[in-house]
Amino acid sequence: MLTVAMPKGRIFDEAVELLLAAGYDIPSDLQNSRKLIVDVPNENMRFILAKPMDVTTYVEHGVADIGIAGKDVMLEEERDVYEVLDLHISGCYLAEAGLPGSEWSGVVKKVATKYPKIASSFYREKGEQVEIIKLNGSIELAPLIGLADRIVDIVSTGRTLKENGLVEFEQISPITSRLVVNPVSYRLKDSTIDELVARLTKVIERKENAV
Ligand code: PRP
């Protein structure tokens, strides 16, 4: 039995599509119920429906053998998991943004983000001292209401920034979703995991060639 931690939300549909294209016979409406554990006996798989930020935690602790996690989550959480495949889905990037022409206000430079570790290391490398304010969502609100001077957040289509009158100052890191594996599971279930990786790789290559 292979236990797979799936990220609920944005990435989910693309991830299911990839697994279906790889020939795994899983219910396509996996996310529609409130169930958090879905067994798929015909594929000998169990799916755990997790918050995206928690996927690598489940995999690190071995309660899921594998998981699908955004590179953003991997960079922020720094969990002890193997990254075995770039799934080339849910492409976006991390960026620093703020109000146009905004200079840092006051002595303390404030940055709001869902990614305190990534933001800290970004500003450390630039030699800028900032105060990080951790938020859990709607990060773009922070500069609008004077909570922070800048934000570090995900940009996908750029619509959220635009519709809130914010501009990007610097791109920090490109992001896609990755297949991550628990190191012990990789030893114990290597053939099952290798087969999954091989089947997914074929689908990804097919998709890339079709573009
Ligand atoms: C993400 C991200 C941005 C937005 C970017 O938030 O934090 O707010 O999407 O997408 P866009 O460039 O296509 O507009 P999400 O919708 O996941 O919700 P959150 O605010 O709760 O983090």
Side-chain angles (χ1 to χ4, degrees):
M1 164 89 87
L2 195 69
T3 303
V4 186
M6 294 286 280
K8 287 202 284 185
R10 280 179 187 241
I11 307 175
F12 196 88
D13 289 342
E14 277 187 273
V16 169
E17 212 176 285
L18 211 56
L19 288 166
L20 287 169
Y24 289 93
D25 184 15
I26 57 172
S28 53
D29 60 349
L30 217 56
Q31 198 179 206
N32 293 353
S33 83
R34 296 249 165 191
K35 280 189 90 146
L36 298 172
I37 302 175
V38 180
D39 283 331
V40 183
N42 52 322
E43 291 289 1
N44 212 14
M45 283 170 133
R46 162 174 286 175
F47 290 89
I48 296 177
L49 276 56
K51 282 277 178 194
M53 243 346 168
D54 295 333
V55 166
T56 53
T57 310
Y58 293 107
V59 175
E60 182 186 69
H61 287 269
V63 290
D65 299 304
I66 65 169
I68 292 177
K71 187 69 186 175
D72 54 330
V73 172
M74 299 187 66
L75 293 171
E76 181 63 25
E77 291 284 315
E78 295 180 314
R79 296 283 172 178
D80 188 11
V81 296
Y82 292 156
E83 176 186 331
V84 294
L85 188 63
D86 183 344
L87 299 172
H88 292 252
I89 56 170
S90 306
C92 54
Y93 56 93
L94 276 163
E96 182 203 37
L99 287 164
S102 61
E103 290 303 316
W104 294 107
S105 67
V107 193
V108 185
K109 301 169 175 179
K110 292 182 177 173
V111 178
T113 187
K114 226 176 344 188
Y115 304 98
K117 273 195 203 159
I118 295 172
S120 299
S121 81
F122 172 69
Y123 289 105
R124 200 178 318 116
E125 273 169 33
K126 291 167 82 75
E128 301 211 38
Q129 246 192 333
V130 299
E131 181 192 339
I132 304 285
I133 299 169
K134 164 85 163 64
L135 293 176
N136 292 305
S138 301
I139 313 300
E140 292 81 358
L141 260 177
L144 304 179
I145 54 171
L147 178 65
D149 305 295
R150 302 271 166 100
I151 62 169
V152 166
D153 198 20
I154 290 287
V155 180
S156 175
T157 61
R159 269 190 65 189
T160 312
L161 288 182
K162 198 159 174 239
E163 290 186 16
N164 290 290
L166 300 174
V167 291
E168 217 178 276
F169 292 114
E170 203 172 322
Q171 297 198 0
I172 299 173
S173 173
I175 304 292
T176 49
S177 300
R178 314 294 163 113
L179 186 70
V180 296
V181 179
N182 171 274
V184 177
S185 299
Y186 207 19
R187 263 190 284 125
L188 299 178
K189 303 184 181 179
D190 57 336
S191 57
T192 312
I193 294 170
D194 284 344
E195 193 199 323
L196 175 77
V197 171
R199 283 162 71 170
L200 288 173
T201 303
K202 264 195 205 148
V203 175
I204 295 161
E205 282 172 1
R206 220 166 44 220
K207 273 173 63 183
E208 305 276 290
N209 291 335
V211 191

